[in-house]
Amino acid sequence: MARHGGGRSWYGKLIGAALGVTVLATGASVWSAQAGIVSGPKPKASASATPSAAAKPVAASIAHASDKGARGVNITIDDGPDPEWTPQMLDVLREYGVKATFCMVGTQAKAHPDLVKQVVAAGHRLCDHSVSHDTAMDKKSEAYQSQQILDAERMITEASGGVRPMYYRAPGGAFTPSSRALAASRGMRPLGWNVDSKDFERPGADAIVSTVRQQLPNGPTLLFHDAGGDRSQTVAALRRILPWLKDQGYTCGFPVR
């Protein structure tokens, strides 16, 4: 998710209870500031990662494009899974025949493996969104960043029944060259966004719809949330955004790999 300044009590409680990590929120992150290609040696994986023959390296540059081409868009949904809102998101996506990428927080995936399996069974893709959603992890050590990425990968893979995440999205866009290289070495393409719906701020469904329409020329990857509080506005907005995208000639796909 983007680096928003309010409404973070849910994460504070979650992380305080689970890991003792304080979530820090700073100014909004812009996708162009995330872009770039990694150079230099790749960091070593920590013992928390389980080697897998299926983990084939991918590009370490941050993906924004859609596999559906110039008229493709990517629906990405962050911070879950959540027992109340993720099923509603799945219902809306199924209603409009849309596949999405779910960027999951490791502790949430571990707590709700049934929902992770539902996401996979519906044909959506998984994305590693770190263990504890620390938006300041780019300011911390490489060892800490590795732990956040690799432990979340393990949690999500175990919760899904063996399906590995295909992407890595740093909380708040807090990528570093080393974190991107590590994720890519594990087969997880770093994933950015172009359109921040601002739904985390709960501005109302009308405002969410308006923001998406205004920002869509910025690029194809749209950011929404299915956790972190009341997401009813997001559900309502998606019921309007998804058919509107189709009417405008867009096809929903997945981020390039």
Side-chain angles (χ1 to χ4, degrees), residues 11-254:
Y11 273 112
K13 293 177 182 178
L14 170 66
I15 298 163
L19 299 171
V21 177
T22 300
V23 176
L24 303 178
T26 61
S29 175
V30 180
W31 78 268
S32 58
Q34 303 167 5
I37 299 176
V38 172
S39 60
K42 294 180 179 179
K44 295 180 180 179
S46 73
S48 59
T50 302
S52 168
K56 298 180 180 179
V58 294
S61 57
I62 297 176
H64 294 282
S66 174
D67 64 3
K68 295 298 183 180
R71 298 297 288 179
V73 294
N74 309 315
I75 304 298
T76 65
I77 301 174
D78 283 21
D79 299 354
D82 179 272
E84 181 171 4
W85 302 110
T86 301
Q88 294 188 46
M89 297 285 185
L90 290 172
D91 287 345
V92 174
L93 294 168
R94 180 170 56 251
E95 180 180 348
Y96 292 101
V98 169
K99 304 302 181 186
T101 300
F102 283 78
C103 302
M104 296 186 174
V105 174
T107 50
Q108 288 294 100
K110 183 176 181 179
H112 306 289
D114 55 327
L115 294 177
V116 182
K117 291 180 177 67
Q118 287 179 38
V119 167
V120 171
H124 305 293
R125 289 185 179 179
L126 302 176
C127 173
D128 179 334
H129 200 33
S130 82
V131 172
S132 59
H133 202 276
D134 183 354
T135 60
M137 62 184 286
D138 56 333
K139 310 300 183 187
K140 299 180 181 178
S141 70
E142 288 188 12
Y144 174 82
Q145 295 175 48
S146 296
Q147 174 263 323
Q148 286 284 309
I149 295 167
L150 298 176
D151 283 358
E153 177 195 6
R154 173 181 52 78
M155 291 174 178
I156 294 167
T157 302
E158 290 177 355
S160 71
V163 178
R164 300 180 65 257
M166 299 178 69
Y167 307 93
Y168 165 65
R169 172 173 278 169
F175 291 102
T176 64
S178 61
S179 69
R180 285 188 277 126
L182 176 59
S185 74
R186 298 290 303 162
M188 298 182 291
R189 180 73 184 268
L191 177 60
W193 66 85
N194 308 105
V195 178
D196 181 356
S197 69
K198 306 291 186 182
D199 65 331
F200 197 87
E201 300 172 3
R202 296 198 290 273
D206 288 346
I208 295 169
V209 172
S210 177
T211 296
V212 170
R213 291 184 179 184
Q214 291 173 7
Q215 290 192 16
L216 193 57
N218 293 347
T221 301
L222 284 59
L223 170 63
F224 301 96
H225 298 87
D226 63 343
D230 185 339
R231 301 271 71 91
S232 58
Q233 294 178 6
T234 305
V235 174
L238 280 173
R239 290 192 182 279
R240 296 162 56 184
I241 290 167
L242 297 181
W244 177 81
L245 288 169
K246 183 177 181 180
D247 290 344
Q248 298 301 307
Y250 290 98
T251 301
C252 292
F254 293 113

